[in-house]
Amino acid sequence: MERYEIITAFFDTTVFRQDPLRRKPEFGLIEKLAEMDRFKLHLSEITWHEFVTQQEIQFDLQVQKLESAVSNIRKRLKDTKLLATLEGEIAALKMKRKVFSEEFSGWLSSLQADVHQVADHHGRAVIKKYFQGTPPFQRIKERKDFPDAFVFEALTDLVQEHQVLHVVTADKQLAMAARDFKEVEVYETVREFVRGASLDTFLHRTINLEAIVARIEEDADAEKEYLTEPILNELAKTPGSPMSEEYDCIITGTGSLDEFHVDGQSAEDYGDGMFIIPFSA
C-alpha cells in the first residue's frame, strides 16, 4: 500500500480568532487534506476553551447591545406587538449561545483533530517557568501568560513525537518559545503556513487555470455584476461584520459596482479546482 506524507500541525487560539468561521480557502485546503489523511491537526484543550469563551463573550456583548436598543425603543414606541416580536427574537438568539462550542467541536471532529488535555506534569513545568520568567512567560510571575504556558507544554510533548511539527501562532512569545525546538517550523497565519509548507502541492492542479484567469480578466468589466453577485448577496445577509475581531466594520448596505479590476497575475491555485483571483472594486 502506498504511503503518503502526513503534515502535522499545532494551532493556537490566535489562528481561529483570525477567521472564527474558518471561511478562507486556506481552511478549505486543510479540510480537503484531512479528508485524504494527509493532514493532522493538534491543539491544546486550553486553546479550545479560549476560543469558544472568546466567541461567547463577544456574542453576549452584542446581545446586550440589542437588549439595550430595544429598551430605548420601548421608551419611544407604543407598538407592543412589534416590541414583543423583537424581544422574542432576542430570546431566540440567546438560545444559540451553545452553538459556538458545538460548531467548533464538530469541525475539529470532522478533521479528526487531536485536542490534548492538560497533563499532570504540565503544572509542575509551568510553575517552574512562572517563577523563572522563561518562555513563554515574558517575565517572572507574569500571570497573564499562564494559558499560553499550558499550550506550550502540550506543544512540547508533541515535539518529542514528530520529526517536523508545523506551529501556527500569532502570539509572539509562544512563537519565540516554539522556535527553540529544531523540529518546529513556525508560521504567523494559516495562509503563511499553507504557502510555506506547500500544502497545495498535495492536490491536483486546477486544469486550464491560466485560460480561466485570462477569460475572467478579459470579461471582468462586462461581467462584474455576475462575478460579484454571490459576494454581495452574502454581505447583505451578514449580521454586523464579516471581519475578524481586530477590525471594526459594519455593513449598512450593498449596491452596484462603479469599478471592478481583476489581478490575474496574482492568482493562486489551491488545487482540485479551488483557486483565488484577487480583485478590487
Side-chain angles (χ1 to χ4, degrees), residues 53-100:
T53 54
Q54 284 171 1
Q55 299 310 301
E56 290 174 341
I57 289 170
Q58 289 299 315
F59 176 82
D60 291 341
L61 288 173
Q62 299 307 316
V63 170
Q64 288 171 13
K65 289 180 181 180
L66 286 174
E67 289 179 317
S68 177
V70 171
S71 178
N72 287 328
I73 291 173
R74 181 178 289 281
K75 298 173 183 177
R76 297 167 176 79
L77 189 66
K78 292 183 178 181
D79 192 331
T80 55
K81 185 176 180 180
L82 176 59
L83 290 167
T85 300
L86 291 173
E87 290 169 347
E89 293 292 334
I90 292 175
L93 193 59
K94 285 183 176 180
M95 297 296 291
K96 295 288 186 180
R97 192 179 192 274
K98 63 182 180 181
V99 75
F100 298 105

